[in-house]
Amino acid sequence: MIRLANRTLQESGMLLITLLISITVTYAQQRPTPFRVGMPLDSIRLSDPYILADRNTSTYYMTGTGGKLWKSHDLKYWTGPFDVVQHDTASWMGKRPDIWAAEIHAYEGKYYYFGTFTNTAVKIDTVKGNIIDRRASHVLVSDRAEGPYTPLNDSLYLPAHMPTLDGTFWVDVDQKPYMVFCHEWLQNWDGTVEKIELKKDLSGTVGKSTLLFKASASPWSRENVDGQTVPNKVTDGPWLFRTQTGKLGMLWTSWVFDVYTQGVAYSTSGTLDGPWIQEKLPFTPPNYGHGMLFRTFEGKLLMSVHSNKNVDGRHIRYPHFFTIDDSGDKLVLGELLD
């Protein structure tokens, strides 16, 4: 658990939000979820919703925080949750790790599960009085979209001394595969988005990570520190895309004071190396974030996000879809499909 030491009220507030969300996530993962058939989307509680539109099975697969899987044929009614993760219980993850922000990517005939695993029994650092759990983005593999997902060769992927999260997948113009992830603000106090090359079969990483940008680069995410308005420390949920004109962009999420909000950045070089130019204003309305893009089987581009609702002190998160127009150099937000 996060311990609060002497610091400004504003920093304590941000840590308190992080603590409450962490407690809520852990509680939700430990609580059994009944198996349901035909469950409406608005009845599902899920953080960081990710959709794989799998044409091989004509099925939409939804995953996210919790490591479970839901299935649908119309994006309205869902069956699940299914257990799909078979991690190595003898590894650093331990027997029952928390799983955050899971994604499923189809790549060269297989399906790859990018997830953030947290072993709360292992502590890796203490920064400003905050004890940091062992947490890292990691990759599992399966021959089927619905799993099960099992370990690849690399037992680490990312350095053990870094708390990393929200790893996503991208093949850049050099045709090399990469993981793009966040180095958590709780350690560096200015969260980063970074890239690291993956082996061709995604079975491990190559070399060291490269910084893409820091949270402080954002003109829209804000917090109060010592009575002054400054950039927020949080980087969360990167997602890469290209518009129909070929412009490379990235959705990512932070906070506007105490409201979870998503922004977007664009690469001037058209590659992961950037430089990344942040849009001045948030991309989503307040209280929507951790977005990703997918096309329906009918060809419509949608963005999957979650919203937050405080219920008796617990942060409850619900999945939603927005329509998106990517015909120009920049994404245009459409309507909320509720």
Side-chain angles (χ1 to χ4, degrees):
M1 294 299 178
I2 294 172
R3 298 181 181 177
L4 300 182
N6 293 328
R7 52 174 62 89
T8 66
L9 178 61
Q10 292 78 15
E11 289 175 346
S12 297
M14 181 59 66
L15 282 167
L16 181 58
I17 290 173
T18 302
L19 173 60
L20 291 173
I21 292 174
S22 178
I23 291 173
T24 300
V25 168
T26 300
Y27 172 78
Q29 296 198 38
Q30 293 175 349
R31 182 184 57 190
T33 302
F35 186 86
R36 301 290 177 85
V37 176
M39 192 168 186
L41 181 70
D42 60 8
S43 297
I44 297 174
R45 297 181 178 184
L46 182 66
S47 300
D48 316 323
Y50 177 94
I51 307 294
L52 171 67
D54 185 51
R55 293 192 176 276
N56 292 330
T57 57
S58 300
T59 302
Y60 297 103
Y61 296 94
M62 180 169 65
T63 187
T65 288
K68 307 291 185 178
L69 187 74
W70 295 81
K71 303 178 187 179
S72 175
H73 293 290
D74 59 9
L75 295 175
K76 296 180 180 179
Y77 299 99
W78 296 83
T79 297
F82 298 90
D83 289 314
V84 297
V85 174
Q86 294 181 0
H87 72 285
D88 180 2
T89 58
S91 72
W92 66 265
M93 299 178 190
K95 293 184 178 181
R96 295 187 61 188
D98 292 339
I99 304 175
W100 296 357
E103 301 182 358
I104 296 173
H105 295 268
Y107 178 67
E108 297 195 345
K110 292 184 179 293
Y111 296 88
Y112 293 88
Y113 187 98
F114 284 63
T116 299
F117 295 83
T118 301
N119 185 344
T120 59
V122 178
K123 312 302 178 183
I124 63 171
D125 203 356
T126 300
V127 180
K128 300 191 180 216
N130 172 40
I131 300 175
I132 299 172
D133 295 328
R134 175 73 167 95
R135 176 178 299 124
S137 296
H138 202 84
V139 183
L140 306 177
V141 67
S142 178
D143 291 325
R144 304 189 306 161
E146 59 192 51
Y149 288 88
T150 57
L152 284 147
N153 296 338
D154 194 331
S155 62
L156 293 178
Y157 276 86
L158 296 170
H161 68 276
M162 293 173 59
T164 57
L165 68 159
D166 296 354
T168 190
F169 180 59
W170 186 251
V171 177
D172 210 8
V173 295
D174 59 6
Q175 298 306 305
K176 294 179 179 179
Y178 292 89
M179 180 195 294
V180 175
F181 64 93
C182 298
H183 181 187
E184 194 170 29
W185 71 276
L186 291 171
Q187 185 179 59
N188 58 31
W189 225 241
D190 188 0
T192 66
V193 175
E194 305 184 22
K195 73 165 188 176
I196 191 166
E197 184 181 343
L198 295 169
K199 295 179 180 179
K200 184 63 176 176
D201 62 357
L202 312 193
S203 63
T205 52
V206 178
K208 296 181 179 181
S209 63
T210 302
L211 174 69
L212 302 185
F213 61 83
K214 297 181 178 181
S216 56
S218 168
W220 56 265
S221 63
R222 289 289 179 263
E223 62 178 305
N224 287 319
V225 175
D226 295 331
Q228 295 185 343
T229 299
V230 299
N232 198 279
K233 304 177 183 68
V234 175
T235 50
D236 184 85
W239 173 262
L240 283 304
F241 64 88
R242 283 197 190 275
T243 68
Q244 294 184 38
T245 63
K247 190 79 170 181
L248 178 62
M250 183 193 304
L251 298 170
W252 68 284
T253 302
S254 189
W255 295 78
V256 179
F257 301 106
D258 61 345
V259 180
Y260 195 65
T261 309
Q262 181 175 256
V264 63
Y266 293 94
S267 169
T268 59
S269 69
T271 73
L272 284 179
D273 291 327
W276 290 90
I277 305 302
Q278 306 291 334
E279 292 288 276
K280 293 182 179 180
L281 299 175
F283 184 66
T284 58
N287 198 36
Y288 293 95
H290 204 110
M292 58 80 59
L293 304 177
F294 69 98
R295 283 199 188 274
T296 68
F297 298 133
E298 296 74 34
K300 181 181 293 186
L301 184 64
L302 299 182
M303 179 175 68
S304 176
V305 296
H306 72 248
S307 65
N308 293 272
K309 185 177 181 181
N310 192 308
V311 179
D312 297 329
R314 293 186 295 119
H315 284 265
I316 307 301
R317 295 181 168 184
Y318 300 90
H320 306 273
F321 301 138
F322 281 91
T323 61
I324 296 290
D325 180 359
D326 70 340
S327 60
D329 279 345
K330 294 184 177 182
L331 296 184
V332 177
L333 185 68
E335 63 178 330
L336 178 63
L337 300 181
D338 276 353

